[in-house]
Amino acid sequence: MKRIHVVVGVGAISFLVGAFLSPMVGWHDPQSAETELAAAVDLPAAVERVWFPPIGEYDNGGEALDDERFGRLMAALNAAMSADETVADFAGEAPFHLTNFARRLTVPRITEPRQEEISDFLTELGEKHPDHRQMIDGQRAFLSSMYSPKSPDDVPVFSARVDLLLSDPELYADGDFEDGQVDRILATLRAILGAPEVSDRFEKEADSHLGFAGFLFQFGRLSPEQLARVLAYMDELAAAHPEAGDVIANARYVIENLTPGRVAPDIAGTDTDGETFSLEDYRGKVVALVFSGHWCGPCRIEYPFQRAMVSLYEDMNEDAVLLSVNSDPVLDTIQAVKVRESLAYRTWWDGHGEVSTEGPIATEWRVTAWPTIYILDAEGVIRFVHKRGADMIAAVDELLQEKRWAALEASMFAPAGDPQTDGS
């Protein structure tokens, strides 16, 4: 019996000491930190609560919207715009409400008298809030695009606005992610994915949020413990939302395979000359891998930097190479562009299929933004993502310097008689 008291006493003392010392020595309890942050995530009232009838009620097959449903929708909009929270923070709340109103007008046909009623409401709203007239007029234009009947698949995602909550500069890592950054990202995701307008159409809405989170995690390096936490959250989501299994699996794949610190998946395909080659053929070299297409304006802006990189490292006989994955729908396009723009690097042509940006390579790498750029070290490990222009060249140079120092260190500490030091 006394032994039990001793064990319990030691356990209690250990708990108290841990509770006292943990903030002093920097111990991190991810579960309590994330729970605390989740409660502190400040979602706009327009996101946090239900303000409008369910979107499904307005899926009428493209018929004219009836009086009853239109009346309830206008009454909901009026209540939302006159709510205390909206009046107190019109710029923060009103765009969400107007977006949600417009989303319910996607499928039904909106007659001219009702269009006029909506226009009159927005005109009056602009007179009440003259400082926000530009935003209201922008929403008026967006609403106008909703007046012709469309498919339920065309209902705009609510997430486009909510993702701004994940755009806080403090969430972007400069090198390694801090535990606090991971806590905040996961807590914000929990809050957003639990919002009524998101959970109402979870599969489509979650695709946007989780895709944005994957993009965010590509800016820094997750520790093994942090990665395990993020993947555990993905597993939790998959169990709670089996209908969104593919969406969650895509986000998990990006985080597990296409973030800094992960060995890049291999690429095997055909270049613009019809020759087959693979990414692994370039192990031992620092690789800048660019997903591009001449159809893409920001991609064309990268051409001068790509020429500079190829020229610079060829002249220096450096172990660095630029490779690209092209998404132009016609092979002749990229072949002519490479000659005209002097893009002297090897390119996989991936512009196959009905949608050229959904070729097999881009699909495997989950590319949704063009250009997307990965910088790999000599071991094939992703070290940087989304480095453009001069930053791409600087990132390649950093890895080359790292490679030189590693070779120098190996030669300095090689045992006597080692081939690295005696030239044999």
Side-chain angles (χ1 to χ4, degrees):
M1 191 69 174
K2 289 181 181 178
R3 290 179 60 193
I4 295 176
H5 289 164
V6 170
V7 171
V8 172
V10 171
I13 292 170
S14 299
F15 173 80
L16 291 171
V17 170
F20 177 73
L21 287 180
S22 61
M24 298 175 59
V25 300
W27 292 353
H28 181 70
D29 181 351
Q31 186 171 3
S32 63
E34 189 186 323
T35 302
E36 183 178 335
L37 281 166
V41 172
D42 188 19
L43 292 179
V47 176
E48 203 167 38
R49 303 209 305 267
V50 176
W51 295 84
F52 294 91
I55 284 182
E57 290 188 16
Y58 294 84
D59 181 2
N60 66 356
E63 298 295 326
L65 189 57
D66 59 82
D67 292 339
E68 193 272 332
R69 278 183 286 190
F70 182 74
R72 286 200 297 123
L73 190 57
M74 289 301 297
L77 178 62
N78 185 59
M81 286 304 184
S82 57
D84 291 342
E85 298 92 339
T86 309
V87 174
D89 182 15
F90 191 83
E93 301 282 347
F96 288 108
H97 288 314
L98 290 170
T99 296
N100 269 333
F101 175 75
R103 293 167 73 232
R104 284 151 175 82
L105 302 181
T106 304
V107 178
R109 180 167 57 85
I110 309 302
T111 61
E112 286 190 14
R114 292 199 171 110
Q115 293 179 32
E116 291 176 8
E117 186 174 340
I118 294 169
S119 180
D120 290 344
F121 180 91
L122 294 177
T123 298
E124 185 179 339
L125 193 66
E127 291 170 354
K128 288 181 180 177
H129 302 277
D131 293 343
H132 304 285
R133 190 167 284 151
Q134 184 175 359
M135 180 274 290
I136 294 168
D137 287 342
Q139 287 289 331
R140 188 195 302 271
F142 176 56
L143 277 162
S144 297
S145 70
M146 297 289 106
Y147 293 152
S148 299
K150 298 176 181 63
S151 160
D153 291 337
D154 295 324
V155 174
V157 291
F158 182 52
S159 307
R161 286 195 179 279
V162 187
D163 276 336
L164 295 175
L165 298 169
L166 287 169
S167 300
D168 185 341
E170 292 185 3
L171 297 181
Y172 287 78
D174 183 15
D176 294 340
F177 272 100
E178 297 176 3
D179 286 329
Q181 289 174 308
V182 177
D183 293 339
R184 285 187 58 195
I185 292 170
L186 292 181
T188 304
L189 270 176
R190 284 185 188 278
I192 291 173
L193 293 177
E197 291 290 334
V198 175
S199 57
D200 190 39
R201 301 172 75 240
F202 187 86
E203 183 174 2
K204 190 168 184 179
E205 297 289 334
D207 193 19
S208 173
H209 292 312
L210 294 177
F212 195 96
F215 173 80
L216 191 59
F217 282 126
Q218 288 184 318
F219 280 87
R221 183 179 180 125
L222 292 164
S223 71
E225 294 78 12
Q226 291 168 344
L227 176 64
R229 285 185 55 213
V230 175
L231 296 181
Y233 174 62
M234 294 295 165
D235 291 341
E236 179 186 325
L237 277 179
H241 298 279
E243 78 283 3
D246 289 344
V247 166
I248 296 165
N250 272 335
R252 182 190 176 102
Y253 184 87
V254 170
I255 294 165
E256 195 169 16
N257 297 281
L258 296 169
T259 53
R262 318 299 152 208
V263 176
D266 192 22
I267 294 174
T270 304
D271 67 15
T272 51
D273 295 322
E275 298 293 327
T276 300
F277 74 114
S278 72
L279 180 59
E280 288 192 353
D281 294 341
Y282 293 86
R283 283 288 173 86
K285 296 180 181 291
V286 174
V287 176
L289 176 64
V290 181
F291 286 82
S292 183
H294 191 65
W295 56 268
C296 156
C299 298
R300 296 195 296 272
I301 292 173
E302 296 296 310
Y303 291 167
F305 299 99
Q306 294 167 6
R307 286 193 294 269
M309 176 186 159
V310 171
S311 176
L312 174 66
Y313 293 124
E314 277 188 353
D315 292 347
M316 296 172 64
N317 197 29
E318 289 281 12
D319 285 336
V321 64
L322 190 149
L323 302 172
S324 77
V325 179
N326 175 265
S327 59
D328 285 306
V330 179
L331 176 59
D332 290 351
T333 300
I334 184 56
Q335 288 175 329
V337 167
K338 284 174 69 69
V339 173
R340 185 174 69 249
E341 299 288 342
S342 300
L343 304 179
Y345 49 79
R346 207 163 187 189
T347 299
W348 286 278
W349 180 57
D350 195 43
H352 312 287
E354 188 174 332
V355 182
S356 65
T357 55
E358 295 179 1
I361 301 173
T363 298
E364 182 180 0
W365 282 65
R366 287 12 179 222
V367 175
T368 57
W370 304 80
T372 291
I373 300 174
Y374 291 87
I375 312 295
L376 317 182
D377 66 19
E379 303 301 318
V381 174
I382 298 169
R383 298 290 296 277
F384 302 100
V385 190
H386 306 306
K387 296 287 187 180
R388 295 188 184 184
D391 289 340
M392 176 186 71
I393 299 174
V396 169
D397 195 58
E398 180 180 330
L399 297 186
L400 284 171
Q401 290 188 48
E402 184 182 293
K403 190 168 183 280
R404 292 187 210 110
W405 276 110
L408 178 61
E409 190 176 62
S411 66
M412 289 174 62
F413 293 99
D418 190 289
Q420 294 185 74
T421 59
D422 64 13
S424 60

